[in-house]
């Protein structure tokens, strides 16, 4: 099977498995912890700590972005150290954008919550219902996996989501690309962009980038707004 056909087959199988039997809460929690720990091993720039036949190490770009920022030392850091047994987890059900963040940000800055919510929803729901040359395809499962994987890298867990879907739908090269774009965008290369979903249209891959950036922004907002809420109460 081609990369595209294999991905569509996995999406179909996931949907059938979900209809037959849903994973228990304990199983989903275990799968999240596994995915969260594995995300720490995915190194941006293309080097992966896991033994896989894939590497971009011959094309690592060291871009100097210090001229564009006030604090050159400011940047993404993994939310936990490797080797730790109990990694910190932000349970989305305890503080969600819809139920908590949206109302607070509107209080702090009138109407900005509506604008942000519209932006999040528009990008998340954007679809042509296509996958490369295939039409009338429901891409909801794939879009949700992309969005939730970014939040997983930031330690955010959704109790009602089965993180086994992430491992089945996002291959290693795509995970490397996601972490690089989301956490270290200055290291992204054209070769990394070309390496995944080779049969997909550019517009579909651009949508992936939009999803990643909006997921990152919402994750950052959730942490910031939760901290403000705790301070106010």
């Amino acid at each position: 099977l081609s990369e595209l056909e294999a991905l569509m087959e996995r999406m179909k199988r996931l949907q059938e498995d979900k209809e037959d039997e849903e994973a228990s809460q304990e199983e989903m929690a275990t799968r999240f912890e596994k995915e969260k720990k594995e995300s720490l091993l995915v190194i941006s720039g293309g080097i992966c700590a896991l033994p896989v036949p894939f590497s971009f190490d011959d094309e690592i770009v060291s871009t100097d972005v210090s001229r564009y920022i006030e604090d050159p030392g400011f940047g993404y850091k993994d939310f936990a150290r490797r080797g730790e047994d109990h990694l910190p987890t932000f349970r989305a059900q305890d503080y969600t954008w819809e139920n908590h963040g949206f109302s607070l940000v509107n209080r702090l800055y009138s109407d900005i919550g509506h604008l942000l919510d519209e932006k999040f929803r528009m990008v998340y729901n954007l679809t042509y219902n296509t996958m490369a040359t295939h039409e009338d395809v429901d891409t909801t499962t794939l879009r949700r996996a992309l969005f939730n994987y970014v939040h997983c890298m930031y330690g955010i867990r959704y109790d009602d989501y089965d993180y086994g879907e992430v491992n089945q739908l996002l291959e290693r090269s795509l995970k490397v690309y996601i972490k690089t774009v989301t956490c270290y965008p200055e290291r992204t290369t054209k070769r990394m962009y070309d390496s995944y979903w080779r049969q997909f249209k550019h517009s579909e891959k651009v949508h992936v980038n939009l999803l990643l950036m909006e997921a990152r922004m919402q994750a950052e907002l959730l942490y910031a707004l939760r901290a403000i809420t705790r301070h106010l109460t």
Side-chain angles (χ1 to χ4, degrees):
L1 291 177
S2 68
E3 181 185 33
L4 172 63
E5 299 297 335
L7 177 57
M8 294 191 64
E9 181 63 27
R10 289 195 297 270
M11 290 174 61
K12 180 181 178 182
R13 190 165 59 247
L14 278 174
Q15 188 60 40
E16 292 173 349
D17 292 344
K18 187 179 296 185
E19 292 174 355
D20 293 340
E21 182 179 0
E22 290 191 6
S24 67
Q25 284 293 320
E26 184 178 352
E27 288 174 322
M28 291 197 289
T30 300
R31 291 171 185 175
F32 169 77
E33 290 299 324
K34 179 181 178 181
E35 194 64 46
K36 184 170 61 170
K37 290 180 180 178
E38 286 187 358
S39 73
L40 299 178
L41 300 176
V42 177
I43 309 300
S44 69
I47 305 173
C48 183
L50 295 180
V52 293
F54 181 82
S55 175
F56 292 115
D57 55 336
D58 59 339
E59 190 185 331
I60 297 177
V61 179
S62 56
T63 305
D64 180 16
V65 296
S66 60
R67 72 191 75 175
Y68 305 114
I69 56 179
E70 295 180 1
D71 181 5
F74 182 80
Y76 172 86
K77 292 183 180 179
D78 282 320
F79 61 89
R81 296 172 183 167
R82 296 176 197 174
E84 291 185 357
D85 293 331
H86 302 288
L87 304 181
T89 297
F90 183 138
R91 294 182 70 254
Q93 276 66 21
D94 294 337
Y95 197 93
T96 65
W97 165 254
E98 293 80 5
N99 298 330
H100 305 91
F102 172 80
S103 58
L104 175 59
V105 80
N106 258 347
R107 282 173 50 199
L108 299 174
Y109 192 159
S110 180
D111 293 332
I112 194 66
H114 294 286
L115 296 174
L116 287 170
D117 191 63
E118 182 181 0
K119 186 161 71 86
F120 291 146
R121 291 178 185 274
M122 180 179 67
V123 171
Y124 187 87
N125 294 321
L126 180 65
T127 180
Y128 301 132
N129 292 313
T130 63
M131 288 181 66
T133 57
H134 295 265
E135 298 181 350
D136 298 321
V137 180
D138 184 357
T139 61
T140 302
T141 304
L142 189 55
R143 284 181 278 127
R144 184 170 59 236
L146 288 165
F147 195 92
N148 285 358
Y149 181 62
V150 173
H151 279 204
C152 178
M153 288 195 304
Y154 280 82
I156 299 175
R157 177 196 168 199
Y158 294 87
D159 291 344
D160 58 351
Y161 181 69
D162 183 358
Y163 287 85
E165 294 184 7
V166 169
N167 240 10
Q168 295 190 54
L169 297 178
L170 309 184
E171 70 273 13
R172 181 66 55 179
S173 60
L174 179 52
K175 285 184 175 181
V176 171
Y177 180 77
I178 291 172
K179 185 160 188 176
T180 305
V181 169
T182 306
C183 306
Y184 310 97
E186 71 279 3
R187 301 181 188 176
T188 309
T189 66
K190 175 71 161 53
R191 184 176 178 181
M192 295 175 67
Y193 172 84
D194 292 335
S195 71
Y196 78 95
W197 290 1
R198 295 174 179 84
Q199 297 168 293
F200 281 66
K201 301 173 185 176
H202 286 300
S203 60
E204 293 170 317
K205 297 178 78 168
V206 167
H207 183 209
V208 170
N209 286 352
L210 294 175
L211 266 174
L212 302 183
M213 292 296 95
E214 294 305 319
R216 168 184 165 165
M217 183 178 188
Q218 188 176 110
E220 293 171 337
L221 277 173
L222 284 173
Y223 275 104
L225 294 172
R226 185 182 66 167
I228 293 173
T229 298
R230 288 175 174 176
H231 174 73
L232 295 176
T233 56

